[in-house]
């Protein structure tokens, strides 16, 4: 492909645009496997806890901080590489690594071994999202980017849902170890398909008006500085980080909460809750992207931040009802309603950040965003819930997990303030150039 760009750039650009639907599909499936391999742990926590004799704090570390430290920090050097070299090849290699490590989790005999394999999953997954964000931004123009990012974000909700579905059903019949291997090994096949059929687009392909921005590659420090200098980007990163922390707390501990406090079995969660939850989440992600793009055409890109503000605000009371209502049917019904709005933030948030990013360091900006999201959101979210659950257990018993999750959910208004502020700043910038 690199030779084609040098000798026949028009042909290469035409091929990249012709195959952009296929490329987006492959990126979405890769993201799907990423979240399936990452979140399968949630439905297996109670089995792993009993088998390896672990505390909630240890389970929280496995779900959050242990994974997130390596996943987030390695994203920066990977993004640096992705801004210089072939992004498709990085994604294919990364997918191979984390899929193999997920399968190896099934061989762990103690906390230390499982921790090391989870670190391996984090190392592999570090090479997926930054180059994926960069490729999508190159293939889709600003007016279609939120929708494209929303399609890509289906990997989050569907991957988490199918990880719960497959993990619970397989673990019920064959044990948690076989469940890990079942979701891990197929990713290696997908990595081959990515390497063979995904297109590596020219950087800035869908941003012809910004082609003049192309400059020598900035350093990592300059990448951080450029993002910090953008006030809208700062607020977007804080907003999406807090929102992700709340979401990771739910996805990491939701199945355990349903088993402990609502009395729903692992198999019933897998059969009757995981797939509908994934579908509701998928509708939310797609609708959020479509609504954001539609309103942005009429009123400007700043409205996309306020779409997230409105959707997440609508989701909060239903999320709290899920945690606080004892009747399983009503609680789970509230959970489904909350999901209709909950995942709407994914497409608009990442699309706005990529819109603000300089062309030459889009992968770097994506990696910086994911560094903060994953160190704080993924790293602290599930870990804090496990710690709070152990802390509250003397007073609340098995319901300690319930109130730990409520505490995290009540941080939502903080996140909403930052989305509101990002929208204000983006609108000011738009008004200034009119």
């Amino acid at each position: 492909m690199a030779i084609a760009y040098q000798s026949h750039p028009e042909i290469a650009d035409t091929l990249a645009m012709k195959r952009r639907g296929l490329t987006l599909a492959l990126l979405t499936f890769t993201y799907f496997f990423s979240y399936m391999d990452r979140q399968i742990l949630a439905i297996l926590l109670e089995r792993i806890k009993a088998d390896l004799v672990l505390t909630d704090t240890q389970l929280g570390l496995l779900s959050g901080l242990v994974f997130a430290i390596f996943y987030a920090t390695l994203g920066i050097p990977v993004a640096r590489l992705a801004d210089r070299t072939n992004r498709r090849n990085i994604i294919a290699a990364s997918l191979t690594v984390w899929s193999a490590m997920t399968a190896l989790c099934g061989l762990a005999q103690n906390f230390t071994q499982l921790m090391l394999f989870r670190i391996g999953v984090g190392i592999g997954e570090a090479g997926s999202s930054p180059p994926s964000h960069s490729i999508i931004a190159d293939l889709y123009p600003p007016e279609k980017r939120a929708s494209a990012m929303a399609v890509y974000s289906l990997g989050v909700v569907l991957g988490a849902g199918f990880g719960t579905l497959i993990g619970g059903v397989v673990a019920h019949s064959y044990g948690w170890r076989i469940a890990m291997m079942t979701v891990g090994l197929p990713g290696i096949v997908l990595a081959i398909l990515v390497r063979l059929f995904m297109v590596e687009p020219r950087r800035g392909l869908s941003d012809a008006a910004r082609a003049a921005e192309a400059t020598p590659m900035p350093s990592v420090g300059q990448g951080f500085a450029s993002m910090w200098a953008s006030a809208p980007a700062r607020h977007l990163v804080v907003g999406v980080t807090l929102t992700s922390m709340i979401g990771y707390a739910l996805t990491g501990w939701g199945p355990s909460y349903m088993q402990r406090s609502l009395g729903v079995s692992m198999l019933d969660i897998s059969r009757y809750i995981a797939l509908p939850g994934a579908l509701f989440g998928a509708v939310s992600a797609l609708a959020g992207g479509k609504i954001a793009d539609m309103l942005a055409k009429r009123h400007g890109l700043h409205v996309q931040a306020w779409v997230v503000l409105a959707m997440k605000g609508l989701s909060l009371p239903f999320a709290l009802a899920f945690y606080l209502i004892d009747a399983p049917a009503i609680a789970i019904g509230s959970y489904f309603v909350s999901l209709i709005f909950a995942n709407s933030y994914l497409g608009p948030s990442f699309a706005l950040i990529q819109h603000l990013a300089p062309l030459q360091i889009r992968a770097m900006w994506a990696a910086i965003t994911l560094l903060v999201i994953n160190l704080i959101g993924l790293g602290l979210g599930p870990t804090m819930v496990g710690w709070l659950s152990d802390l509250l257990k003397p007073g609340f018993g098995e319901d300690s997990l319930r109130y730990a999750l409520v505490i995290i959910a009540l941080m939502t208004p903080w996140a909403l303030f930052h989305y509101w502020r990002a929208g204000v700043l983006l609108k000011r910038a738009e008004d200034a150039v009119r």
Side-chain angles (χ1 to χ4, degrees), residues 62-373:
L62 290 172
S63 302
L65 196 59
V66 164
F67 174 92
I69 286 176
F70 291 88
Y71 174 56
T73 55
L74 287 176
I76 297 295
V78 169
R80 182 69 171 169
L81 186 64
D83 279 328
R84 293 174 176 270
T85 60
N86 190 293
R87 293 164 288 186
R88 175 202 60 198
N89 295 348
I90 292 172
I91 293 168
S94 299
L95 175 54
T96 302
V97 171
W98 88 63
S99 298
M101 287 296 173
T102 300
L104 287 173
C105 285
L107 302 179
Q109 299 299 312
N110 52 53
F111 174 76
T112 301
Q113 291 177 7
L114 187 55
M115 178 183 68
L116 291 173
F117 291 136
R118 286 288 291 175
I119 288 172
V121 176
I123 290 171
E125 291 195 16
S128 175
S129 289
S132 296
H133 286 207
S134 177
I135 287 174
I136 293 170
D138 284 340
L139 290 174
Y140 290 87
E143 65 272 15
K144 295 182 179 180
R145 199 167 288 152
S147 295
M149 286 290 187
V151 171
Y152 174 70
S153 72
L154 290 178
V156 175
V157 291
L158 295 178
F162 275 86
T164 301
L165 171 64
I166 297 170
V169 170
V170 174
H172 177 76
S173 299
Y174 304 104
W176 69 268
R177 299 176 185 281
I178 299 299
M180 285 286 194
M181 297 178 188
T182 300
V183 301
L185 294 176
I188 298 172
V189 177
L190 178 61
I192 296 172
L193 297 178
V194 168
R195 179 62 182 82
L196 292 176
F197 298 107
M198 185 181 291
V199 171
E200 169 74 9
R202 176 171 56 84
R203 300 178 198 278
L205 176 60
S206 292
D207 288 275
R210 296 176 63 190
E213 286 185 19
T215 58
M217 181 66 63
S219 67
V220 173
Q222 289 171 326
F224 274 95
S226 66
M227 193 172 217
W228 181 255
S230 171
R234 289 202 306 271
H235 282 284
L236 286 167
V237 170
V238 174
V240 75
T241 298
L242 292 169
T243 302
S244 297
M245 182 173 71
I246 297 162
Y248 280 127
L250 171 60
T251 56
W253 285 101
S256 287
Y257 160 69
M258 285 185 267
Q259 291 173 72
R260 294 186 196 181
S261 294
L262 299 181
V264 184
S265 71
M266 180 186 72
L267 189 59
D268 283 345
I269 293 170
S270 301
R271 285 178 171 175
Y272 307 120
I273 298 175
L275 187 56
L279 294 177
F280 279 114
V283 169
S284 174
L286 289 174
K290 289 291 184 182
I291 292 170
D293 276 340
M294 179 184 67
L295 293 178
K297 288 179 182 179
R298 297 179 182 176
H299 306 289
L301 285 174
H302 70 278
V303 176
Q304 294 187 344
W306 292 344
V307 167
V308 177
L309 169 68
M311 293 289 194
K312 294 300 294 185
L314 289 170
S315 175
L316 178 58
F318 295 100
L320 291 174
F322 170 54
Y323 295 133
L324 295 173
I325 293 175
D326 288 322
I330 299 175
I332 292 169
S334 297
Y335 167 67
F336 287 147
V337 175
S338 75
L339 290 179
I340 294 175
F341 307 103
N343 293 294
S344 58
Y345 76 99
L346 292 164
S349 298
F350 292 120
L352 283 172
I353 291 169
Q354 286 293 293
H355 171 73
L356 292 168
L359 291 182
Q360 290 293 93
I361 50 172
R362 274 179 163 164
M364 179 61 68
W365 271 45
I368 293 169
T369 304
L370 292 168
L371 171 69
V372 179
I373 286 175

